[in-house]
Amino acid sequence: RISASLAAPRILRRANRRNAMATKWLKGPLTHEQCALLDAYWRASNYLTVAQIYLSGAGDPLLQEPLKPEHIKSRLLGHWGTCPGLNLLYVHLNRVIKEQGAQVIYICGPGHGGPGIVANAYLEGGYTERYPKITMDREGLRVLFKQFSWPRGIPSHVSPDCPGSLHEGGELGYCLFHAYGAVLDNPELVVACVVGDGEAETGPCATAWHGNKFVNPSRDGAVLPVLHLNGGKIGGATMLSRLPHAELESLMVGYGYEPIFVEGSDPASMHQLMASALDLAFLRINTIWRAARTGGETARPRWPMIVLRTPKGWTGPHTLDGELVEGTFRSHQVPAAKAKTSKAHLAVLEGWLRSYRPQELFDAKTGRLRADLAALAPRGAARMSANPHANGGELVVPLRLPDPAAYAVAVPAPGAVDAECTSALGPLLRDVFRLNAEANNFRIMCPDEITSNKLSAVFEATSRVAMWDAREGDAHTTRDGRVMEILSEHSCQGWLEGYVLTGRHGLFPTYEAFCQVVDSMCNQHAKWLKATREIGWRRPYPSLNYLLTSHTWRQDHNGYTHQAPGFLDHLATKHGSVANIFLPPDANTLLVVAHDCLASMHKINAIVAGKHPMPQWCSMEEARAQVAAGVSEWAWASNAEPGKDPDVVLACAGDVPALEAVAAAAWLRAHAPHVRFRFVNVVELLRLRVPSLHPRGLDEGAFARLFGATTPVVMAFHGYPTLIPGLVHERPHPGRFSVHGYIEEGSTTTPFDMTVVNKMSRWHLCIDVLHHAGRGDAHKALVAELEAKLEHHAKFIWDEGVDVPEVVDFKWKAANGEGAAAASSKTKRRKV
């Protein structure tokens, strides 16, 4: 047995040099009998892998008759190249699980290896438990083969259909993030995470290796990264596979790992080398855990990782049509792709399948795996295909959440006080940490923005986590913190996904503009949620919650680069069953929204909230009613008579849009009281959709009571104005919505000028309302007055560098033509 030392990788490399000459089992931790059994199990998984890609189930599943063209699928869809190495690791992890009682889940970064992971889940019985119709016999094998990459069957990746999967791997770059998120606060869990050498070329993966600097071995589990170098992508070589050995080793050491190399192509020696490597890796993991948990070790450990170098398409056709296949990119997908129409390719495929000697592996009569081979797999929840951590909904402990009313901002009347919304949220999040301290199931992942976004109250209950050395001047940073800050949105997103997919809860606060860095990751997570919702044995996961702050309308100081609300457009395209967007106009509404989002399950919730002082409109009671309704009338701002159609609906969605719309309402009431308008505030944006597209969409009657059927709607919107027509396109007369929002104008300027240059200012809204209210030229003078205000504003900010006093000093009660008493007496909302 190889000792746990830095010399171990070199010992393994020296052993690998003998691979080419090995003719019998290499001496190692396995007996000859163990090697033979593991090799047989590996051959079985390889056989099932190939059969899924090629065989339609029409012929004998164990090839007890010659292979014929009609036995081959008409469309060959799948990826063979990565699977043999994945299968080798799976087989050997099973041995470690059985011998050591380890809790292990398998994350397959090369999602193309789907048929291999499905094959292993089937062999250990986990697949049949989830899908009883796919029995562990000849008939079950036929269905298993046919369904793969087949219409209404299963996808070709490690999809949600696959027991034991929490990472599909369709898009590359994220597997290590998910692995590190999964082990946080899971002290006994080991995640074996395979990083393909194609994935290792991605930018997110380059950062993901740093997850080891945030894992505290006294309370967290361990990630065992396995860098699988098989040398090829779709059409060429991979970069890391061609690095000189010393350079590759230095790279992994530089990332903070202790690399263990397993390299070769001879199965006889590779079984011993893989067994030695896993024994060493698990020895190191357990040593690190013991030192931290019983020995008081606080230094950052050097965690083990494995570099597995095997030929791409290992054990498959060596050459085909005069070209080298095994060990090259040509084995990436489907070698012998013409097997249905070419006798030569059919012969190659048949020889390939028979090389695994299926008659030795499965009972000839029943088709069941040999009993002595089946005994190699763990039992029950110890199987990687049945481990509950890979179906995290089974492990959810609901968050204990405080009552938002305990943190309410006192609002005696609309607009009477100012407050910072995120500053009000901070104490609630602080107490979420306190209430769930025993369960240890809540974290915040954030790109270095807790303080900037005025959430520092959380540091009264926890701190930032970092395993590096503390230095004088550090603030709120310990090894036991529960706030994970790193200037990588990919890391924050991926860690949080891994955390919630294993049954825990969290929040991702970030600058709004830079949330779009993770658009694609959010897209993949939304697909996972939608797919798992339709799989009966999957359980709901805690929601993934974004807090988008330091938002577009108050990035007047950072400028144009920080002004981008497009994440809302992206999330709005996701399936209605999983996506929600909230635009609370003030602090109390934000408190209620945040509470509800943290309590929700199986959603992606985006909350947009500013951090600067803003007028407060709703009491806590009103905020609760407003969030429950999603869309509601603010009767105190309206001047239309209840029950009668107004001339115009004046609507808003967002905190700055709400301020501008309220200011517009005040001006209209004072200067154009004959124009009757209904004031509508939208908190839950996607409720504008019809119910057939979003389950929380307003029904026809509720929508009509708020927006009418033909009434013009002038709307101030936080995001790009083109989003709203897409949401209401199935509503009556959607062209009546005139939307003002961000139109890619802005720079370093004043806060109010941001609304002016994007034509969402109160004065632009008033002009639009007057236009839609009709009455011919009757409003010409009013429009000219408003245009003069815009001209004065432009000159004033150039001369003075600040906004005009009329804007800075605006208060609803002062501006309201009915006076302060009238304003405070009309605080009740009319809601649907």
Side-chain angles (χ1 to χ4, degrees), residues 749-750 753 792-804:
T749 186
T750 68
D753 192 49
H792 173 66
H793 155 81
K795 183 177 185 304
F796 187 91
I797 62 170
W798 174 251
D799 292 340
E800 305 296 334
V802 296
D803 284 318
V804 296

Side-chain angles (χ1 to χ4, degrees), residues 184-185 213-215 219 426 429-430 433 442-451 455-468 475-486 492 495 499 505-509:
L184 298 172
D185 304 312
K213 295 151 186 82
F214 295 84
V215 170
R219 64 177 183 185
L429 296 175
R430 173 200 64 203
F433 280 115
F442 180 70
R443 293 213 181 203
I444 291 178
M445 285 73 169
C446 184
D448 187 34
E449 293 160 7
I450 291 294
T451 301
L455 299 171
S456 295
V458 300
F459 293 136
E460 298 169 22
T462 186
S463 61
R464 302 177 179 92
V465 60
M467 291 301 295
W468 50 77
H476 308 299
T477 303
T478 68
R479 290 172 170 81
D480 298 318
R482 306 193 61 75
V483 174
M484 303 180 71
E485 283 197 334
I486 182 173
C492 297
W495 289 341
Y499 200 62
H505 311 260
L507 178 69
F508 178 7

Side-chain angles (χ1 to χ4, degrees), residues 129-164:
E129 288 178 10
R130 297 299 191 186
Y131 304 102
K133 292 183 179 179
I134 303 180
T135 50
M136 299 187 72
D137 54 21
R138 302 179 76 87
E139 290 308 309
L141 287 172
R142 287 191 173 95
V143 181
L144 183 76
F145 298 167
K146 180 175 181 176
Q147 69 168 4
F148 179 79
S149 284
W150 193 259
R152 307 297 174 92
I154 64 171
S156 64
H157 291 133
V158 191
S159 64
D161 310 78
C162 181

Side-chain angles (χ1 to χ4, degrees), residues 6 212 252-259 284 288 299-305:
L6 287 175
N212 59 0
M252 292 298 113
V253 171
Y255 275 129
Y257 294 92
E258 179 181 328
R284 289 291 295 124
I288 290 168
R300 177 165 65 90
R302 186 174 289 277
W303 295 93
M305 60 86 61

